[in-house]
Amino acid sequence: MSEATSIKVLIVDDSAVVRQTLSEILGSEKDIEIMGTASDPIIAAKKLEKEIPDVIILDIEMPRMDGLTFLKKLMQQFPIPVVICSSKAEEGSQNVLNALDYGAVEIIRKPQLGTKQFLTESRLRIADAVRAAHMAKTRKFKPKPEVSAKLTADAVLPLGKEHVRIETTELVVAVGASTGGTEALREVLEALPVDAPGMVVVQHMPEHFTAAFAKRLDSICSVGVKEAENNDSVLRGRVLIAPGNKHTLLKRSGARYYVEVKDGPLVCRHRPSVDVLFRSVARYAGKNAIGIIMTGMGDDGARGMLEMHQNGAYTIAQDEESCVVYGMPQEAVKRNAVDLILPLNRIAAEILKSDKRK
C-alpha cells in the first residue's frame, strides 16, 4: 500500500523495547506506516509541530508529562485518534478508563516477552486497534487490508441443533460492542431501571480492564454491574461484563440462566468474542432473548446475531449516525440479521418495551 493511503502512526512510550516492538509489529502491516516514535509527550509534541499522524499510540505513565495530561491537551488542539497502550497492572486500569473518557478510542495491552501465541495474538490486536482508531476518525470504510484468517464461533461452541425445550418467560439481553462501546454502554445502562432484564455484555477490552470498567458502571447505574465469573446467574437488575481474554457463554439449567467463562482461541480475532456469546444465547435462550449489536470495527457478532434471529430472538443494531465506527452493526444488517435499527438513545427504551411484551 502506498504512503498516500497508509495509516501513519506515532508511538509515544518511554520504553525503548516497547517502541521497537510496536514499530516492528505495525511496520510489517501493508496498510500501516510508522511516522515516528517519542519517549515522552514533550518530544511527541515537537514532532506534531512538523507532521500530524493519523493515529497515536500512547502510554500512560511517562516522565516529564503523563499520558492523561498529554491526551487532554492533545484533544483540545488536535482531535487525533489515540490508542492507549498500557500494561496489564490492575492499578493502571482506572487511568485507562479515564483515558477513554478523555477521548481515547481503543485500548491494547503493552507487548510482553512470551510465547509465540501471545506475540501472534498481540500482533493481530494491535494492528486491528490502529485500524479501528483510524476508522473512528474518518468514519468511512476503506478496502479491507490483507489480514490473517479468522476463526469462527465453531472453535469454542460448535454449531448444533439443540434448542430451548423448557418454557420460560424470563428475558435475557445479550450485547456486543467494540470501538466506542464503553461510552455507548454507559448511556444504555444508565437509562435502565433496577429491575431491568438480566444482561450479558461482550465489550472488546484487554484482561484486567474489564473489572474496573464494570466497577465504574456499577457506581453510576441503577442496575448492578459486575465482571462475569464462571457460573454467575443471569438475574433481573444484573449486568455481567465478559472478562477480558476469556470467552463468556450463556448456559441454562432448567429455568436458570447462568454464564460459563472459559479459555479458547481468538474468534473473529477477539477473546471475548461477541459471536461466541450470541451463538450460546441463540442455543439456550432462543426467542426469550434480545440481541443488541453496537459500535465497533469488524464483523464480530454478525454471524451470531443471525443465528439468534433465526432462533426467534429480537435483534437490534445501533444506527450509523450514533456509532463511533459502523462496522459490526453494518455487517449484521448486511446479513439480514437485524429486526430493528435504532439510535443509541433509544435502545434502553426498546429493551424495556420488549420486556413488557413478555
Side-chain angles (χ1 to χ4, degrees):
M1 188 172 288
S2 66
E3 290 188 3
T5 57
S6 61
I7 303 171
K8 295 183 178 180
V9 177
L10 174 63
I11 300 168
V12 186
D13 195 296
D14 62 329
S15 167
V17 173
V18 171
R19 295 196 302 273
Q20 180 180 356
T21 302
L22 289 175
S23 295
E24 291 175 354
I25 287 173
L26 295 174
S28 66
E29 300 293 322
K30 294 182 178 180
D31 60 324
I32 298 174
E33 172 193 350
I34 303 301
M35 189 195 86
T37 65
S39 58
D40 64 47
I42 304 301
I43 296 174
K46 293 179 180 178
K47 289 182 178 289
L48 291 176
E49 293 175 358
K50 300 178 180 179
E51 186 176 7
I52 302 298
D54 296 309
V55 175
I56 292 177
I57 295 181
L58 181 65
D59 188 17
I60 291 180
E61 296 182 0
M62 289 179 289
R64 297 208 287 177
M65 180 187 292
D66 66 89
L68 291 180
T69 300
F70 178 65
L71 180 62
K72 282 184 179 180
K73 293 178 178 293
L74 180 71
M75 289 304 172
Q76 292 173 356
Q77 302 175 44
F78 306 108
I80 302 168
V82 171
V83 174
I84 294 297
C85 180
S86 177
S87 67
K88 65 179 182 180
E90 288 282 357
E91 58 189 341
S93 299
Q94 193 62 44
N95 282 335
V96 170
L97 294 179
N98 288 337
L100 290 171
D101 287 342
Y102 299 155
V105 295
E106 279 283 347
I107 304 171
I108 57 176
R109 284 178 60 187
K110 183 171 289 189
Q112 301 174 4
L113 296 177
T115 66
K116 180 179 180 181
Q117 179 184 359
F118 179 87
L119 293 175
T120 299
E121 291 181 358
S122 294
R123 181 180 300 274
L124 293 172
R125 290 171 175 170
I126 292 167
D128 278 351
V130 168
R131 295 184 183 109
H134 186 240
M135 286 182 176
K137 175 188 178 184
T138 62
R139 301 189 69 171
K140 294 179 181 178
F141 274 86
K142 301 178 185 296
K144 292 184 178 180
E146 296 179 18
V147 293
S148 304
K150 296 188 294 185
L151 296 178
T152 68
D154 292 339
V156 177
L157 181 64
L159 182 63
K161 295 183 178 180
E162 182 180 351
H163 296 289
V164 177
R165 293 183 175 87
I166 302 174
E167 290 297 323
T168 180
T169 58
E170 196 60 42
L171 189 66
V172 174
V173 182
V175 181
S178 189
T179 309
T182 53
E183 183 64 18
L185 281 168
R186 181 199 59 75
E187 182 169 336
V188 171
L189 297 186
E190 275 192 309
L192 294 176
V194 68
D195 62 344
M199 183 180 295
V200 185
V201 176
V202 167
Q203 164 68 50
H204 294 156
M205 294 180 81
E207 62 180 318
H208 301 291
F209 298 128
T210 42
F213 177 54
K215 186 176 180 180
R216 170 175 285 193
L217 289 174
D218 186 64
S219 70
I220 61 176
C221 297
S222 297
V223 290
V225 185
K226 72 181 295 285
E227 184 182 59
E229 296 178 83
N230 197 49
N231 206 41
D232 273 347
S233 294
V234 180
L235 304 169
R236 281 193 168 271
R238 170 185 271 189
V239 178
L240 299 176
I241 306 290
N245 206 35
K246 298 282 187 180
H247 290 300
T248 297
L249 295 76
L250 182 76
K251 290 297 182 75
R252 186 171 169 179
S253 176
R256 172 183 174 249
Y257 289 112
Y258 65 98
V259 294
E260 179 183 8
V261 177
K262 62 187 294 184
D263 292 319
L266 299 180
V267 172
C268 284
R269 298 211 294 278
H270 292 287
R271 186 176 52 239
S273 163
V274 183
D275 264 339
V276 170
L277 171 64
F278 282 3
R279 171 169 289 184
S280 69
V281 173
R283 177 176 297 186
Y284 294 106
K287 65 182 180 181
N288 295 318
I290 296 177
I292 302 172
I293 194 161
M294 300 169 69
T295 176
M297 189 190 84
D299 61 1
D300 187 26
R303 296 175 186 83
M305 177 159 276
L306 179 59
E307 292 172 21
M308 288 185 65
H309 180 73
Q310 291 170 337
N311 279 8
Y314 184 43
T315 53
I316 300 169
Q318 185 180 348
D319 73 352
E320 182 174 7
E321 181 62 28
S322 64
C323 281
V324 173
V325 178
Y326 187 56
M328 288 159 52
Q330 182 182 52
E331 292 299 324
V333 170
K334 284 180 179 178
R335 286 170 168 78
N336 295 315
V338 176
D339 291 311
L340 186 64
I341 301 173
L342 288 176
L344 180 62
N345 61 9
R346 289 178 53 194
I347 291 177
E350 189 63 27
I351 292 172
L352 300 178
K353 182 179 176 182
S354 299
D355 187 36
K356 290 179 180 179
R357 289 198 294 260
K358 292 293 292 180

